[in-house]
Amino acid sequence: GRPRVVVVGGGAGGATVARYLAKDSQGQIDVTLVEPTRHYYTCFFSNLYIGGFRDIASIGHSYGKLAAEYGINVVHDWAVGVDRDAKTVTLAGGAVLPYDRLVLSPGIDFVDGSVPGWDVTVQNKMPHAYKAGSQSELLKAQIEAMPQGGRFAMVAPPNPYRCPPGPYERISMVAHLLTQVNPTAKILLVDPKDKYSKQALFEEGWAKHYPGMVERIGPDFGGDKVEVRADAMEVVIDGTVEKVDVCNVIPGQKAGRICEMAGITDGNWAPVTGYTMQSRIDGTIYVLGDATAQGDMPKSGYSANSQAKVAAMAIRGELLGSSVFPAKFSNTCWSLIAPEDGVKVGAAYEPTDEKIASVSSFVSQTGEDAALRKQTYEESLGWYAGITSDMFG
Ligand code: FAD
């Protein structure tokens, strides 16, 4: 029969690799995609939803075309086990899927105890909104319901985590929303990191668009010694209790748990070789996106999509003998600071024996004029349309 590839996770990495495998092999590979949700809400642009620039439906995508147009067997279930000797994946519903090659792109899970007082049992009181959909809607509703002059807090994550500029784009979008509905409200950003992605650009933007609204507490003032009390809506920073009205806790992160269950993690992440995106622990398993330890690429949707194309090519080469070209990767992270004020950071990458290495990079500059910022924002709209059709057809 046809060689079988099972893909776990229908997000930026998994949907892309499934679609490329099906499309480019013209049906010669039997592709099964395992994904519990019927609608995938992109984390990318979920901050723009919070800011009021997109509606929730516009960031939701279904798997219908992958099944109907590409012949992918889309199974809505959780993978709960991988038997690497038998080469099978077990699903929560009991099915056992045999594979010749397995691709894992499960995204992230949260590190237990990362923020004392927080775990998923309190995520309705203190949402993370770092997996998009209902959490994004909840966080936005809470912000809209804040008392006038109230206080929004974010507990930012330690490195490494998905979307390095994501928390700071979120601060920008929350500030924009508050400027519209609650202009005397304040934002408290508690951050365990000394510095962060595009910091100078965000700080310039906050001072310009939201003067006096955002206060950041870094590790020098206890930003790395934080505890939360969800029932009391308190954030305790190095012993000092702060009462807040909304608290967005973004905990420390690790590879989606199926990687650990498959036994392919080293610490929190799954090491891969950048030549092919194969696991360094089991060469019949490929790992994509946020779950990987690969080197210089940030954990982003763009990165996961770029890695998926390299993996699809390598898998077709192995299973069908089709030609394989040297791996190349790219990434850009766009962030919206205020209406039509977009910034970006990006790079091109190539694999070495040790890691995926950055070979050239670019970043927006402070002081850029409005026309250039508008153009950067418009580029991001084109990118969103492009990546979502690359994922879902
Ligand atoms: P995901 O896209 O999260 O997909 C993982 C999928 O696997 C999920 O659908 C999940 O349901 C499924 N899954 C998990 N475990 C199992 C299992 N056991 N069995 C079956 N299925 C499973 N990136 C950008 O490039 N640009 C941006 O502008 C951007 N903005 C962001 C803003 C925010 C607020 C956030 C949080 C992230 C942002 N990102 C952005 C990052 C981007 O969303 C992630 O890096 C990207 O989604 C990673 O792709 P992935 O395939 O690794 O994981």
Side-chain angles (χ1 to χ4, degrees):
R2 296 181 296 165
R4 284 177 293 217
V5 177
V6 173
V7 179
V8 174
T16 305
V17 75
R19 182 169 162 275
Y20 273 76
L21 283 170
K23 173 171 79 70
D24 294 343
S25 76
Q26 276 130 13
Q28 289 183 73
I29 297 178
D30 179 343
V31 182
T32 298
L33 177 62
V34 182
E35 164 60 52
T37 65
R38 281 157 176 82
H39 273 89
Y40 174 86
Y41 288 91
T42 58
C43 282
F44 21 110
F45 280 22
S46 66
N47 288 328
L48 275 64
Y49 157 73
I50 289 170
F53 297 90
R54 305 282 290 213
D55 62 24
I56 194 76
S58 75
I59 62 168
H61 304 269
S62 89
Y63 296 90
K65 273 195 189 169
L66 293 184
E69 289 178 21
Y70 297 91
I72 295 167
N73 178 19
V74 180
V75 179
H76 291 300
D77 204 343
W78 287 94
V80 293
V82 175
D83 183 333
R84 279 161 42 201
D85 297 323
K87 292 210 186 75
T88 57
V89 177
T90 304
L91 306 187
V96 177
L97 308 175
Y99 63 81
D100 295 297
R101 294 292 182 279
L102 173 62
V103 184
L104 300 180
S105 193
I108 53 145
D109 274 311
F110 300 121
V111 172
D112 286 339
S114 163
V115 178
W118 193 92
D119 65 39
V120 292
T121 65
V122 300
Q123 70 174 7
N124 270 20
K125 287 194 173 115
M126 294 189 167
H128 54 81
Y130 235 60
K131 299 183 184 189
S134 48
Q135 277 277 306
S136 322
E137 292 182 277
L138 175 65
L139 182 61
K140 181 167 185 178
Q142 289 182 352
I143 297 165
E144 287 171 334
M146 273 169 61
Q148 288 298 309
R151 187 144 70 141
F152 170 95
M154 173 192 283
V155 178
N159 288 318
Y161 60 95
R162 75 170 13 165
C163 196
Y168 311 97
E169 180 185 57
R170 177 168 296 163
I171 292 290
S172 309
M173 293 293 93
V174 171
H176 174 73
L177 174 59
L178 289 174
T179 302
Q180 313 291 301
V181 301
N182 193 344
T184 56
K186 297 281 187 239
I187 295 177
L188 177 64
L189 167 56
V190 186
D191 201 333
K193 301 180 296 298
D194 278 323
K195 54 187 173 52
Y196 60 87
S197 174
K198 294 185 278 196
Q199 183 164 358
L201 295 165
F202 284 114
E203 286 176 349
E204 176 193 57
W206 297 342
K208 175 174 173 197
H209 300 292
Y210 318 112
M213 195 179 246
V214 183
E215 180 195 1
R216 176 173 178 271
I217 298 183
D220 38 353
F221 293 97
D224 57 345
K225 295 181 202 70
V226 186
E227 172 194 332
V228 295
R229 297 175 186 156
D231 285 329
M233 285 305 289
E234 289 171 355
V235 181
V236 187
I237 305 163
D238 201 8
T240 305
V241 178
E242 302 283 351
K243 274 256 172 212
V244 300
D245 298 292
V246 175
C247 188
N248 175 203
V249 176
I250 308 175
Q253 297 161 28
K254 61 179 185 180
R257 234 180 70 75
I258 191 69
C259 291
E260 205 176 302
M261 293 189 275
I264 56 153
T265 50
D266 177 9
N268 283 340
W269 309 100
V272 295
T273 162
Y275 295 118
T276 56
M277 301 307 296
Q278 276 164 301
S279 162
R280 290 194 190 266
I281 294 167
D282 182 336
T284 60
I285 302 182
Y286 292 69
V287 195
L288 305 175
D290 293 354
T292 60
Q294 38 69 25
D296 295 348
M297 297 185 81
K299 298 184 186 301
S300 76
Y302 198 139
S303 294
N305 171 263
S306 179
Q307 293 162 9
K309 295 176 197 181
V310 166
M313 181 173 62
I315 292 169
R316 285 194 303 114
E318 284 201 12
L319 296 179
L320 304 176
S322 59
S323 28
V324 177
F325 303 98
K328 283 187 192 315
F329 305 88
S330 51
N331 177 66
T332 303
C333 289
W334 285 272
S335 302
L336 188 62
I337 297 178
E340 303 194 332
D341 190 351
V343 293
K344 63 180 173 181
V345 57
Y349 304 86
E350 286 174 14
T352 66
D353 291 350
E354 288 77 42
K355 64 172 187 175
I356 299 179
S358 171
V359 291
S360 64
S361 65
F362 56 87
V363 60
S364 297
Q365 301 300 306
T366 53
E368 285 172 347
D369 66 25
L372 179 53
R373 292 298 177 85
K374 179 167 189 251
Q375 185 188 322
T376 303
Y377 172 58
E378 283 166 357
E379 255 175 41
S380 77
L381 300 179
W383 168 79
Y384 187 90
I387 189 174
T388 50
S389 69
D390 212 34
M391 291 166 64
F392 299 106

